[in-house]
Amino acid sequence: MARMSPLFRRGDRRTPESSSGSSHERLVTLIGKPGCHLCDDAQEVIEKVCGDLGVSWEKKDITQDEELHRLYWEQIPVVLVDGAQHTFWRVNEERLRKALSAKP
């Protein structure tokens, strides 16, 4: 059976820290590279939404991490919410806001 291209693979939706009844701080991760205009656009949306909701976010550079490059080079920018892939290429503000407003 042929494997699905990583381009269309969404990734594991489970959060690594989730367990019933426990709460944890939300985290958005932007995976991109310098000089990428789509990454710059994604960062603007992430900064706005995370700022509005008080959610932490981080930025990771695929040119500095061999594993991230291997996993995501065709998809950048990639956005993870609590470690699970949320989207790639274009970040929809409303969709990100909804994902972060839902209970983890």
Side-chain angles (χ1 to χ4, degrees):
M1 176 186 275
R3 289 179 45 134
M4 180 182 285
S5 166
L7 184 65
F8 300 107
R9 190 173 52 228
R10 282 200 171 278
D12 190 351
R13 288 215 171 261
R14 291 173 295 153
T15 59
E17 300 158 14
S18 65
S19 63
S20 64
S22 72
S23 63
H24 70 284
E25 190 173 325
R26 308 302 306 261
L27 177 65
V28 174
T29 304
L30 171 60
I31 301 170
K33 69 178 184 178
C36 167
H37 72 280
L38 289 176
C39 301
D40 294 340
D41 293 346
Q43 183 171 333
E44 284 183 32
V45 173
I46 290 167
E47 285 177 341
K48 181 177 193 284
V49 172
C50 289
D52 289 349
L53 299 176
V55 172
S56 298
W57 73 277
E58 65 183 355
K59 186 174 179 179
K60 295 190 177 185
D61 181 349
I62 65 164
T63 67
Q64 302 298 313
D65 186 313
E66 199 172 299
E67 181 66 7
L68 290 178
H69 186 273
R70 184 184 68 74
L71 290 170
Y72 298 117
W73 71 273
E74 291 179 313
Q75 294 178 294
I76 62 163
V78 173
V79 177
L80 309 179
V81 173
D82 298 331
Q85 187 169 337
H86 171 73
T87 195
F88 60 96
W89 293 338
R90 300 263 183 209
V91 182
N92 179 287
E93 180 180 338
E94 191 175 311
R95 184 169 176 258
L96 179 59
R97 189 176 299 277
K98 187 175 182 179
L100 292 172
S101 296
K103 289 187 178 184

XYZ file of all heavy atoms in Angstrom:
836
model
N 0.846 -1.172 0.000
C 0.000 0.000 0.000
C 0.896 1.242 0.000
O 1.850 1.330 0.741
C -0.904 -0.010 1.239
C -1.737 1.243 1.349
S -2.671 1.325 2.887
C -4.092 0.397 2.405
N 0.578 2.211 -0.827
C 1.373 3.429 -0.914
C 1.134 4.316 0.300
O 0.024 4.403 0.806
C 1.004 4.191 -2.188
N 2.202 4.955 0.751
C 2.082 5.873 1.890
C 1.574 7.217 1.404
O 1.909 7.656 0.320
C 3.432 6.063 2.557
C 3.877 4.845 3.302
C 5.220 5.062 3.914
N 5.272 6.371 4.552
C 5.750 6.595 5.757
N 6.222 5.605 6.450
N 5.784 7.799 6.260
N 0.784 7.875 2.235
C 0.274 9.194 1.900
C 1.420 10.202 1.931
O 2.274 10.150 2.799
C -0.797 9.616 2.903
C -1.384 10.980 2.615
S -2.602 11.493 3.822
C -3.961 10.466 3.335
N 1.429 11.081 0.972
C 2.434 12.131 0.941
C 2.368 12.948 2.216
O 1.287 13.274 2.699
C 2.178 13.053 -0.254
O 2.923 14.235 -0.126
N 3.522 13.323 2.794
C 3.503 14.162 3.991
C 2.822 15.502 3.724
O 2.376 16.169 4.631
C 4.973 14.352 4.346
C 5.756 13.794 3.236
C 4.858 12.985 2.364
N 2.711 15.857 2.465
C 2.051 17.089 2.092
C 0.604 17.121 2.561
O 0.090 18.156 2.953
C 2.110 17.240 0.562
C 1.566 18.488 -0.060
C 2.400 19.681 0.383
C 1.614 18.371 -1.561
N -0.048 15.972 2.558
C -1.452 15.907 2.918
C -1.715 15.228 4.249
O -2.840 15.134 4.685
C -2.236 15.185 1.815
C -2.126 15.906 0.506
C -1.355 15.407 -0.514
C -2.761 17.121 0.324
C -1.231 16.092 -1.710
C -2.637 17.814 -0.869
C -1.877 17.295 -1.886
N -0.667 14.770 4.898
C -0.816 14.108 6.185
C -1.016 15.157 7.274
O -0.294 16.127 7.356
C 0.444 13.283 6.473
C 0.316 12.365 7.641
C 1.514 11.450 7.768
N 2.745 12.215 7.744
C 3.784 11.906 6.982
N 3.764 10.874 6.199
N 4.869 12.650 7.009
N -2.013 14.979 8.115
C -2.328 15.942 9.165
C -1.525 15.704 10.434
O -1.333 16.608 11.214
C -3.805 15.890 9.516
C -4.668 16.587 8.529
C -5.953 16.878 9.231
N -6.826 17.730 8.506
C -6.759 19.041 8.457
N -5.810 19.667 9.061
N -7.643 19.736 7.807
N -1.107 14.516 10.699
C -0.365 14.245 11.922
C -1.278 13.775 13.033
O -2.491 13.711 12.891
N -0.668 13.447 14.131
C -1.380 12.930 15.286
C -2.139 14.055 15.971
O -1.575 15.066 16.326
C -0.364 12.302 16.249
C -1.007 11.529 17.366
O -2.240 11.602 17.523
O -0.263 10.844 18.081
N -3.435 13.889 16.182
C -4.263 14.927 16.784
C -4.222 14.894 18.304
O -4.694 15.810 18.940
C -5.700 14.775 16.322
C -5.870 15.168 14.888
C -7.222 15.807 14.766
N -7.383 16.401 13.484
C -7.225 17.684 13.225
N -6.874 18.504 14.161
N -7.439 18.158 12.035
N -3.684 13.820 18.894
C -3.605 13.765 20.356
C -2.571 14.750 20.858
O -1.559 14.965 20.224
C -3.217 12.362 20.817
C -4.301 11.349 20.564
C -3.800 9.983 20.878
N -2.728 9.664 19.929
C -1.749 8.831 20.173
N -1.663 8.214 21.313
N -0.827 8.606 19.265
N -2.827 15.322 21.999
C -1.847 16.207 22.604
C -1.015 15.387 23.573
O -1.538 14.551 24.300
C -2.527 17.380 23.335
O -3.380 16.863 24.328
C -3.283 18.251 22.375
N 0.285 15.605 23.611
C 1.155 14.767 24.430
C 0.886 14.892 25.924
O 1.150 13.977 26.666
C 2.561 15.267 24.091
C 2.379 16.584 23.432
C 0.997 16.593 22.849
N 0.330 16.008 26.367
C 0.130 16.217 27.798
C -1.324 16.035 28.202
O -1.677 16.293 29.342
C 0.584 17.628 28.164
C 2.031 17.857 27.845
C 2.356 19.323 27.695
O 1.537 20.163 28.086
O 3.432 19.620 27.186
N -2.179 15.648 27.260
C -3.592 15.597 27.603
C -3.929 14.357 28.415
O -3.449 13.276 28.157
C -4.449 15.644 26.339
O -4.243 14.507 25.569
N -4.734 14.576 29.425
C -5.304 13.485 30.193
C -6.570 14.028 30.810
O -6.715 15.216 31.003
C -4.329 12.989 31.264
O -4.058 14.004 32.188
N -7.503 13.172 31.110
C -8.789 13.653 31.575
C -8.642 14.434 32.868
O -7.952 14.036 33.780
C -9.744 12.475 31.780
O -9.242 11.639 32.791
N -9.285 15.606 32.885
C -9.316 16.423 34.071
C -8.117 17.320 34.278
O -8.153 18.217 35.086
N -7.025 17.107 33.554
C -5.868 17.970 33.761
C -5.897 19.114 32.767
O -6.374 18.984 31.655
C -4.571 17.174 33.605
O -4.353 16.841 32.263
N -5.385 20.236 33.194
C -5.319 21.366 32.289
C -3.860 21.717 32.051
O -3.013 21.519 32.914
C -6.068 22.560 32.883
O -5.437 22.967 34.068
N -3.580 22.231 30.889
C -2.236 22.668 30.594
C -2.309 23.914 29.727
O -3.314 24.195 29.100
C -1.420 21.558 29.934
C -1.841 21.233 28.542
N -2.963 20.509 28.261
C -1.287 21.551 27.339
C -3.081 20.382 26.945
N -2.085 21.005 26.374
N -1.234 24.640 29.725
C -1.165 25.858 28.933
C -1.114 25.502 27.453
O -0.421 24.574 27.046
C 0.090 26.629 29.342
C 0.142 28.008 28.753
C 1.311 28.799 29.304
O 1.642 28.627 30.486
O 1.885 29.564 28.532
N -1.838 26.240 26.645
C -1.849 26.023 25.198
C -0.544 26.553 24.607
O 0.055 27.494 25.117
C -3.020 26.771 24.547
C -4.411 26.549 25.139
C -4.900 25.118 25.175
N -4.872 24.412 23.931
C -5.934 24.243 23.130
N -7.098 24.752 23.450
N -5.831 23.554 22.023
N -0.120 25.975 23.500
C 1.086 26.418 22.818
C 0.902 26.276 21.316
O 0.524 25.209 20.824
C 2.298 25.591 23.264
C 3.614 25.922 22.552
C 4.070 27.347 22.864
C 4.689 24.914 22.915
N 1.178 27.357 20.601
C 1.165 27.348 19.141
C 2.616 27.383 18.684
O 3.423 28.163 19.195
C 0.397 28.567 18.578
C 0.508 28.629 17.067
C -1.063 28.519 19.008
N 2.951 26.526 17.718
C 4.297 26.486 17.164
C 4.220 26.793 15.673
O 3.459 26.161 14.950
C 4.940 25.100 17.365
O 4.918 24.779 18.758
C 6.372 25.066 16.851
N 5.000 27.776 15.244
C 5.118 28.110 13.828
C 6.427 27.534 13.325
O 7.504 27.863 13.839
C 5.110 29.633 13.634
C 5.444 30.143 12.235
C 4.458 29.617 11.197
C 5.490 31.659 12.216
N 6.347 26.658 12.337
C 7.535 26.055 11.734
C 7.698 26.669 10.349
O 6.795 26.579 9.521
C 7.398 24.526 11.638
C 7.200 23.930 13.034
C 8.623 23.920 10.951
C 6.813 22.477 13.039
N 8.827 27.316 10.135
C 9.063 27.985 8.867
C 10.537 28.165 8.609
O 11.369 27.439 9.151
N 10.854 29.152 7.781
C 12.254 29.460 7.480
C 12.367 30.943 7.137
O 11.385 31.570 6.720
C 12.793 28.596 6.347
C 12.193 28.898 4.983
C 12.818 28.027 3.915
C 12.276 28.427 2.535
N 12.898 27.649 1.469
N 13.551 31.499 7.290
C 13.761 32.904 6.957
C 13.515 33.166 5.472
O 13.778 32.312 4.622
C 15.238 33.138 7.300
C 15.626 32.024 8.213
C 14.755 30.864 7.839
N 12.972 34.353 5.168
C 12.756 34.732 3.782
C 11.502 34.154 3.153
O 11.278 34.318 1.957
N 10.683 33.504 3.931
C 9.453 32.874 3.430
C 8.286 33.835 3.665
O 7.917 34.086 4.811
C 9.232 31.554 4.170
S 7.600 30.821 3.972
N 7.702 34.377 2.595
C 6.622 35.351 2.769
C 5.374 34.730 3.383
O 4.664 35.382 4.147
C 6.283 36.058 1.447
C 5.570 35.206 0.456
N 6.219 34.286 -0.349
C 4.266 35.123 0.151
C 5.326 33.676 -1.109
N 4.137 34.166 -0.831
N 5.102 33.467 3.099
C 3.954 32.798 3.722
C 4.188 32.627 5.228
O 3.250 32.717 6.023
C 3.691 31.435 3.078
C 3.133 31.445 1.662
C 3.013 30.005 1.134
C 1.796 32.155 1.589
N 5.435 32.400 5.606
C 5.778 32.282 7.031
C 5.559 33.617 7.745
O 5.048 33.656 8.867
C 7.221 31.817 7.200
S 7.569 30.213 6.435
N 5.934 34.701 7.075
C 5.719 36.036 7.647
C 4.223 36.312 7.816
O 3.795 36.844 8.842
C 6.346 37.109 6.763
C 7.868 37.021 6.700
O 8.475 36.404 7.610
O 8.450 37.559 5.736
N 3.428 35.939 6.805
C 1.967 36.113 6.888
C 1.397 35.281 8.032
O 0.548 35.752 8.792
C 1.293 35.702 5.576
C 1.628 36.612 4.400
O 2.177 37.723 4.627
O 1.349 36.211 3.253
N 1.864 34.038 8.158
C 1.382 33.147 9.223
C 1.732 33.723 10.588
O 0.910 33.688 11.513
C 1.991 31.754 9.059
N 2.927 34.276 10.722
C 3.352 34.836 11.995
C 2.451 36.004 12.407
O 2.102 36.140 13.576
C 4.805 35.287 11.939
C 5.290 35.816 13.281
C 6.778 36.063 13.317
O 7.536 35.431 12.590
N 7.192 36.989 14.153
N 2.057 36.828 11.454
C 1.161 37.949 11.764
C -0.161 37.452 12.347
O -0.660 37.997 13.333
C 0.896 38.783 10.517
C 2.039 39.669 10.115
C 1.706 40.527 8.902
O 0.528 40.903 8.726
O 2.635 40.819 8.130
N -0.734 36.420 11.737
C -2.000 35.865 12.219
C -1.811 35.255 13.606
O -2.617 35.481 14.523
C -2.567 34.810 11.232
C -3.791 34.124 11.809
C -2.898 35.453 9.891
N -0.749 34.491 13.781
C -0.475 33.836 15.069
C -0.269 34.875 16.175
O -0.822 34.742 17.266
C 0.731 32.892 14.947
C 0.351 31.692 14.082
C 1.218 32.440 16.318
C 1.525 30.847 13.638
N 0.506 35.906 15.887
C 0.739 36.960 16.883
C -0.577 37.614 17.302
O -0.806 37.868 18.483
C 1.692 38.018 16.336
C 3.122 37.564 16.291
C 4.054 38.594 15.669
O 3.582 39.515 14.953
O 5.270 38.462 15.883
N -1.440 37.876 16.347
C -2.723 38.523 16.640
C -3.617 37.623 17.481
O -4.104 38.014 18.539
C -3.432 38.896 15.340
C -4.778 39.590 15.536
C -5.364 39.982 14.193
C -6.516 40.924 14.314
N -7.752 40.363 14.731
N -3.828 36.394 17.023
C -4.732 35.474 17.718
C -4.188 35.123 19.106
O -4.916 35.174 20.096
C -4.979 34.200 16.874
C -5.760 33.165 17.666
C -5.722 34.559 15.588
N -2.922 34.770 19.176
C -2.339 34.394 20.467
C -2.315 35.580 21.424
O -2.559 35.419 22.620
C -0.938 33.822 20.272
S -0.948 32.178 19.512
N -2.067 36.762 20.897
C -2.096 37.957 21.728
C -3.488 38.219 22.283
O -3.654 38.532 23.464
N -4.493 38.080 21.431
C -5.881 38.286 21.855
C -6.309 37.283 22.922
O -7.033 37.618 23.850
C -6.849 38.165 20.665
C -6.759 39.324 19.690
O -6.100 40.345 20.005
O -7.356 39.207 18.594
N -5.855 36.031 22.778
C -6.303 34.954 23.662
C -5.341 34.675 24.823
O -5.640 33.843 25.680
C -6.525 33.668 22.861
C -7.590 33.738 21.761
C -7.641 32.427 20.983
C -8.952 34.082 22.339
N -4.196 35.322 24.830
C -3.226 35.088 25.892
C -2.567 33.719 25.801
O -2.234 33.112 26.808
N -2.361 33.244 24.583
C -1.774 31.923 24.348
C -0.298 32.089 23.965
O 0.057 32.973 23.178
C -2.535 31.181 23.222
C -1.837 29.888 22.828
C -3.967 30.914 23.641
N 0.548 31.242 24.499
C 1.975 31.264 24.171
C 2.197 30.717 22.768
O 1.474 29.831 22.318
C 2.759 30.403 25.157
O 2.631 30.902 26.461
N 3.239 31.242 22.108
C 3.607 30.692 20.803
C 5.121 30.733 20.665
O 5.811 31.461 21.369
C 2.893 31.422 19.666
C 3.396 32.802 19.363
C 3.060 33.957 20.006
C 4.321 33.164 18.340
N 3.713 35.015 19.440
C 4.501 34.563 18.407
C 5.013 32.447 17.376
C 5.346 35.251 17.553
C 5.856 33.134 16.510
C 6.003 34.518 16.610
N 5.613 29.900 19.768
C 7.044 29.816 19.504
C 7.268 29.664 18.014
O 6.359 29.275 17.278
C 7.668 28.637 20.256
C 7.163 27.287 19.786
C 7.723 26.113 20.565
O 8.585 26.315 21.432
O 7.288 24.975 20.302
N 8.471 29.967 17.595
C 8.828 29.885 16.180
C 10.021 28.949 16.050
O 10.977 29.059 16.817
C 9.191 31.286 15.692
C 9.449 31.418 14.226
C 9.650 32.896 13.915
C 9.947 33.124 12.459
N 10.112 34.561 12.182
N 9.951 28.010 15.096
C 11.051 27.084 14.842
C 11.454 27.185 13.379
O 10.606 27.278 12.501
C 10.654 25.652 15.200
C 10.402 25.483 16.691
C 10.239 24.037 17.065
C 10.071 23.925 18.582
N 10.018 22.542 19.000
N 12.754 27.128 13.133
C 13.337 27.312 11.813
C 13.775 25.960 11.251
O 14.651 25.309 11.833
C 14.525 28.266 11.961
C 15.235 28.582 10.661
O 14.977 27.924 9.632
O 16.071 29.494 10.680
N 13.204 25.559 10.112
C 13.565 24.254 9.537
C 15.008 24.216 9.048
O 15.565 23.139 8.896
C 12.622 23.796 8.406
C 12.711 24.706 7.190
C 11.195 23.648 8.887
C 12.113 24.109 5.934
N 15.610 25.382 8.818
C 17.007 25.377 8.371
C 17.964 25.099 9.522
O 19.147 24.849 9.289
C 17.399 26.715 7.691
O 17.377 27.771 8.659
C 16.468 27.038 6.537
N 17.461 25.122 10.753
C 18.280 24.874 11.935
C 17.990 23.522 12.588
O 18.586 23.184 13.598
C 18.049 25.980 12.979
C 18.349 27.361 12.478
C 19.804 27.530 12.066
O 20.705 27.144 12.796
N 20.025 28.085 10.891
N 17.052 22.769 12.021
C 16.645 21.497 12.630
C 16.408 20.476 11.526
O 15.439 20.572 10.776
C 15.367 21.714 13.448
C 14.942 20.496 14.237
O 14.913 19.376 13.661
O 14.599 20.660 15.420
N 17.309 19.505 11.441
C 17.258 18.502 10.368
C 15.953 17.704 10.361
O 15.384 17.432 9.311
C 18.456 17.556 10.527
C 18.787 16.787 9.288
C 20.087 16.016 9.452
O 21.142 16.644 9.670
O 20.015 14.770 9.371
N 15.460 17.332 11.536
C 14.228 16.550 11.626
C 13.015 17.368 11.169
O 12.167 16.872 10.428
C 14.015 16.044 13.054
C 12.766 15.208 13.233
C 12.778 13.861 12.488
O 13.811 13.481 11.910
O 11.730 13.197 12.489
N 12.917 18.625 11.605
C 11.818 19.489 11.153
C 11.880 19.686 9.641
O 10.855 19.685 8.961
C 11.847 20.841 11.863
C 11.480 20.836 13.336
C 11.617 22.245 13.908
C 10.080 20.299 13.555
N 13.094 19.855 9.105
C 13.262 20.006 7.660
C 12.758 18.767 6.932
O 12.013 18.868 5.951
C 14.731 20.272 7.309
C 14.948 20.566 5.864
N 15.159 19.574 4.934
C 14.952 21.735 5.189
C 15.302 20.114 3.742
N 15.180 21.430 3.863
N 13.145 17.598 7.423
C 12.729 16.345 6.795
C 11.205 16.197 6.818
O 10.596 15.804 5.834
C 13.370 15.160 7.519
C 13.075 13.809 6.860
C 13.642 12.653 7.673
N 12.976 12.463 8.943
C 11.750 11.939 9.082
N 11.064 11.577 8.026
N 11.221 11.779 10.278
N 10.575 16.561 7.935
C 9.140 16.382 8.090
C 8.297 17.411 7.337
O 7.227 17.088 6.829
C 8.757 16.447 9.577
C 9.205 15.287 10.445
C 8.972 15.615 11.912
C 8.487 14.013 10.057
N 8.767 18.659 7.285
C 7.882 19.742 6.861
C 8.350 20.600 5.690
O 7.665 21.552 5.340
C 7.630 20.678 8.062
C 6.947 20.008 9.223
C 7.598 19.890 10.449
C 5.663 19.489 9.109
C 6.975 19.282 11.528
C 5.043 18.878 10.187
C 5.705 18.786 11.390
O 5.078 18.187 12.456
N 9.472 20.287 5.045
C 10.007 21.192 4.038
C 9.036 21.495 2.906
O 9.070 22.590 2.344
C 11.344 20.693 3.503
C 11.262 19.471 2.637
C 11.271 18.177 3.050
C 11.155 19.440 1.220
N 11.168 17.336 1.973
C 11.090 18.086 0.824
C 11.085 20.419 0.235
C 10.976 17.699 -0.499
C 10.976 20.031 -1.094
C 10.927 18.678 -1.443
N 8.122 20.586 2.563
C 7.155 20.834 1.484
C 5.926 21.600 1.962
O 5.112 22.003 1.150
C 6.670 19.507 0.886
C 7.700 18.761 0.111
C 7.147 17.459 -0.430
O 6.492 16.719 0.335
O 7.359 17.193 -1.617
N 5.769 21.775 3.255
C 4.535 22.318 3.798
C 4.671 23.699 4.428
O 3.661 24.286 4.766
C 3.983 21.370 4.869
C 3.550 20.037 4.330
C 3.075 19.146 5.449
O 3.844 18.755 6.316
N 1.795 18.847 5.447
N 5.853 24.215 4.627
C 5.990 25.430 5.420
C 5.222 26.602 4.814
O 5.109 26.689 3.599
C 7.461 25.809 5.663
C 8.166 26.088 4.359
C 8.158 24.785 6.507
C 9.441 26.828 4.515
N 4.703 27.441 5.678
C 4.720 27.335 7.114
C 3.751 26.274 7.621
O 2.689 26.060 7.048
C 4.280 28.724 7.594
C 3.397 29.213 6.495
C 3.989 28.654 5.227
N 4.137 25.641 8.705
C 3.294 24.650 9.374
C 2.977 25.201 10.756
O 3.845 25.763 11.416
C 4.025 23.291 9.498
C 3.217 22.305 10.338
C 4.305 22.718 8.123
N 1.728 25.043 11.173
C 1.320 25.497 12.499
C 0.883 24.290 13.309
O 0.051 23.495 12.858
C 0.165 26.522 12.415
C -0.295 26.929 13.803
C 0.601 27.742 11.615
N 1.472 24.154 14.492
C 1.087 23.112 15.437
C 0.334 23.775 16.586
O 0.693 24.875 17.008
C 2.315 22.404 16.004
C 3.371 21.874 15.031
C 4.512 21.229 15.809
C 2.774 20.911 14.045
N -0.689 23.113 17.072
C -1.390 23.551 18.277
C -1.215 22.433 19.291
O -1.631 21.295 19.040
C -2.885 23.834 18.010
C -3.622 24.115 19.312
C -3.041 25.009 17.042
N -0.566 22.745 20.382
C -0.279 21.766 21.430
C 0.423 20.532 20.872
O 0.148 19.402 21.255
C -1.556 21.361 22.164
C -2.223 22.535 22.862
O -1.504 23.468 23.259
O -3.450 22.519 23.002
N 1.323 20.747 19.904
C 2.130 19.670 19.351
C 1.506 18.905 18.206
O 2.168 18.087 17.586
N 0.234 19.158 17.899
C -0.440 18.464 16.790
C -0.577 19.417 15.607
O -0.878 20.602 15.782
C -1.816 17.971 17.225
N -0.364 18.906 14.392
C -0.451 19.767 13.221
C -1.861 20.324 13.072
O -2.841 19.584 13.060
C -0.041 19.009 11.958
C 0.052 19.928 10.752
C 0.694 19.272 9.559
O 1.445 18.308 9.701
N 0.409 19.787 8.383
N -1.932 21.633 12.966
C -3.202 22.345 12.801
C -3.426 22.699 11.335
O -4.512 22.498 10.801
C -3.215 23.605 13.670
C -4.361 24.512 13.426
N -5.639 24.217 13.846
C -4.437 25.709 12.789
C -6.450 25.197 13.480
N -5.745 26.106 12.841
N -2.414 23.246 10.688
C -2.544 23.664 9.294
C -1.176 23.843 8.664
O -0.155 23.764 9.345
C -3.365 24.979 9.193
O -3.775 25.198 7.843
C -2.587 26.185 9.679
N -1.165 24.110 7.366
C 0.072 24.464 6.673
C -0.254 25.412 5.531
O -1.413 25.581 5.163
C 0.831 23.214 6.177
C 0.077 22.353 5.206
C 0.252 22.495 3.846
C -0.792 21.371 5.665
C -0.424 21.682 2.948
C -1.473 20.549 4.773
C -1.290 20.705 3.407
N 0.762 26.074 5.022
C 0.725 27.078 3.960
C 0.016 28.367 4.371
O 0.633 29.395 4.497
C 0.119 26.554 2.670
C 0.944 25.506 1.991
C 2.292 25.279 2.145
C 0.490 24.530 1.073
N 2.681 24.225 1.367
C 1.597 23.752 0.688
C -0.730 24.240 0.516
C 1.518 22.714 -0.220
C -0.823 23.204 -0.390
C 0.289 22.456 -0.752
N -1.285 28.328 4.585
C -2.041 29.537 4.951
C -2.712 29.324 6.304
O -3.299 28.267 6.547
C -3.120 29.839 3.922
C -2.585 30.078 2.534
C -2.436 31.531 2.274
N -1.976 31.731 0.903
C -1.262 32.749 0.538
N -0.924 33.665 1.412
N -0.874 32.874 -0.709
N -2.657 30.340 7.150
C -3.272 30.249 8.474
C -4.564 31.060 8.459
O -4.537 32.262 8.195
C -2.334 30.781 9.577
C -2.980 30.630 10.944
C -1.000 30.059 9.530
N -5.664 30.386 8.735
C -6.956 31.046 8.806
C -7.174 31.529 10.235
O -7.219 30.717 11.166
C -8.059 30.066 8.379
C -9.429 30.679 8.448
O -9.971 30.887 9.530
N -9.996 30.952 7.288
N -7.308 32.841 10.401
C -7.423 33.428 11.738
C -8.612 32.847 12.511
O -8.480 32.472 13.677
C -7.576 34.945 11.633
C -7.709 35.621 12.973
C -7.864 37.119 12.879
O -7.469 37.719 11.854
O -8.379 37.704 13.857
N -9.754 32.758 11.876
C -10.955 32.258 12.548
C -10.797 30.797 12.981
O -11.176 30.421 14.090
C -12.153 32.409 11.608
C -13.484 32.174 12.252
C -14.627 32.473 11.282
O -14.614 33.542 10.655
O -15.514 31.614 11.173
N -10.215 29.988 12.114
C -10.021 28.568 12.432
C -9.037 28.389 13.587
O -9.249 27.567 14.477
C -9.533 27.828 11.189
C -9.390 26.342 11.389
C -9.154 25.632 10.054
N -8.939 24.228 10.300
C -7.735 23.651 10.297
N -6.651 24.343 10.024
N -7.619 22.368 10.548
N -7.950 29.170 13.588
C -6.968 29.088 14.665
C -7.594 29.548 15.981
O -7.436 28.914 17.019
C -5.734 29.915 14.357
C -4.638 29.930 15.417
C -4.122 28.518 15.716
C -3.495 30.849 14.986
N -8.335 30.634 15.931
C -9.004 31.157 17.125
C -9.962 30.106 17.705
O -9.997 29.862 18.921
C -9.753 32.441 16.770
C -10.300 33.199 17.939
C -10.929 34.515 17.476
N -9.995 35.403 16.824
C -9.173 36.235 17.457
N -9.171 36.277 18.780
N -8.349 37.002 16.797
N -10.703 29.435 16.838
C -11.643 28.402 17.276
C -10.904 27.225 17.896
O -11.321 26.697 18.944
C -12.485 27.934 16.077
C -13.588 26.996 16.422
C -14.438 26.700 15.189
C -15.590 25.788 15.537
N -16.441 25.517 14.375
N -9.807 26.811 17.286
C -9.027 25.677 17.825
C -8.467 26.012 19.205
O -8.447 25.150 20.097
C -7.891 25.321 16.877
N -8.043 27.238 19.407
C -7.453 27.631 20.683
C -8.512 27.901 21.748
O -8.213 27.849 22.934
C -6.564 28.854 20.512
C -5.305 28.605 19.699
C -4.580 29.919 19.420
C -4.390 27.615 20.389
N -9.720 28.179 21.323
C -10.811 28.435 22.275
C -11.431 27.134 22.777
O -12.072 27.122 23.830
C -11.884 29.303 21.617
O -11.352 30.570 21.300
N -11.248 26.050 22.014
C -11.775 24.747 22.419
C -10.926 24.196 23.565
O -9.736 24.492 23.678
C -11.741 23.775 21.248
N -11.537 23.390 24.400
C -10.786 22.767 25.499
C -9.796 21.775 24.915
O -10.127 21.017 24.019
C -11.729 22.060 26.464
C -12.549 23.028 27.275
C -13.338 22.319 28.328
C -14.109 23.336 29.137
N -14.824 22.730 30.235
N -8.572 21.770 25.454
C -7.548 20.829 24.937
C -7.847 19.399 25.306
O -8.555 19.109 26.212
C -6.267 21.303 25.612
C -6.652 22.179 26.730
C -8.054 22.631 26.491
